[in-house]
Amino acid sequence: MQTRVRSNQPTDAVVQAVATVEGVEPVDLDIPLFTVIDPDALDSLFESPSDDLGVTFRYHGHEIELDSDLTVTVDGTEIRPEH
């Protein structure tokens, strides 16, 4: 399954993807992203992405994979950004 979310920042893409999978608004997620990963570092990492860049971590009880094109995979569900 593939879904699209609006995002230009890696941190926004992750939060929006998790909220989409959970069927809630991003502000309704009760665990802030900064509790599991440094948002500034994550955004900086993707400022000059390469084709083989990817990050995997756990957030809000989900396995998150973030690719260089800001595609977020949440527990196997791919969520692509709209630019």
Side-chain angles (χ1 to χ4, degrees), residues 8 20 23-27 32 36 44 46 50 53-54 58 60 64 66 73 75 79 81:
N8 291 322
T20 297
V24 300
E25 292 296 318
V27 297
V36 297
S44 294
F46 285 86
S50 66
L53 179 63
R58 292 199 61 80
H60 218 266
I64 308 298
L66 179 61
T73 304
D75 297 330
I79 301 176

Side-chain angles (χ1 to χ4, degrees), residues 8 45 54 72 83:
N8 291 322
L45 183 64
V72 181
H83 297 289

Side-chain angles (χ1 to χ4, degrees), residues 2-75:
Q2 189 179 80
T3 305
R4 292 197 173 272
V5 296
R6 290 191 166 275
S7 180
N8 291 322
Q9 294 288 352
T11 51
D12 292 340
V14 169
V15 171
Q16 289 183 29
V18 171
T20 297
V21 166
E22 293 197 0
V24 300
E25 292 296 318
V27 297
D28 293 329
L29 294 174
D30 59 349
I31 301 170
L33 182 61
F34 71 81
T35 63
V36 297
I37 196 164
D38 181 329
D40 293 331
L42 184 63
D43 287 342
S44 294
L45 183 64
F46 285 86
E47 282 179 358
S48 300
S50 66
D51 289 340
D52 59 352
L53 179 63
V55 175
T56 302
F57 59 96
R58 292 199 61 80
Y59 171 55
H60 218 266
H62 301 283
E63 181 160 322
I64 308 298
E65 297 175 37
L66 179 61
D67 293 332
S68 59
D69 65 353
L70 299 187
T71 297
V72 181
T73 304
V74 181
D75 297 330

